[in-house]
Amino acid sequence: MDHIVHQAGPGAIGQTSPDVSGNTYASRPNRYDPQFCDCCNRPVGYFDVQRTTSRFECGELPSYVCYACLAPYPDGEPRALRIRWIIARAGRFGIQWQEAVKAQLGWPA
């Protein structure tokens, strides 16, 4: 057993894995980055958006929508529209992340 040498994976020694295409957790924006409305795609301030989290079988997914886009829906937005906003938010983190969220939600690719 003393002669068994384990090769450390690239991630364990600080190197990027060849399987990763640059869309890693470290390259995603953090919560202090400017926010954008998932409906109209305009930059908004921290207090200018309504943050909602929707629960699905795969987990909880957020969407940020400005109050101007929410005005036509006083009783709440339709589920299909909220899913569209969630997919738009996922697209901000890269195409692979967006495609993964689409697959989890059963949205056509």
Side-chain angles (χ1 to χ4, degrees):
M1 287 253 193
D2 337 335
H3 304 292
I4 297 175
V5 178
H6 295 282
Q7 298 294 328
I13 55 176
Q15 297 174 350
T16 59
S17 173
D19 299 334
V20 178
S21 66
N23 186 13
T24 63
Y25 182 75
S27 66
R28 294 184 185 148
N30 59 26
R31 68 175 129 166
Y32 301 112
D33 286 340
Q35 298 294 327
F36 293 89
C37 175
D38 293 332
C39 182
C40 64
N41 202 27
R42 72 178 177 101
V44 291
Y46 184 81
F47 297 105
D48 299 333
V49 295
Q50 180 179 0
R51 293 164 186 78
T52 57
T53 302
S54 302
R55 293 178 189 231
F56 298 96
E57 298 80 25
C58 60
E60 295 182 347
L61 297 169
S63 63
Y64 297 174
V65 182
C66 68
Y67 292 112
C69 293
L70 285 176
Y73 309 104
D75 298 330
E77 67 278 352
R79 181 175 169 85
L81 190 57
R82 182 175 289 199
I83 290 175
R84 184 176 298 165
W85 294 339
I86 289 170
I87 291 173
R89 170 129 321 258
R92 296 187 198 289
F93 298 105
I95 298 296
Q96 291 175 337
W97 185 256
Q98 186 179 32
E99 293 299 322
V101 169
K102 281 182 180 179
Q104 288 294 322
L105 298 178
W107 196 266

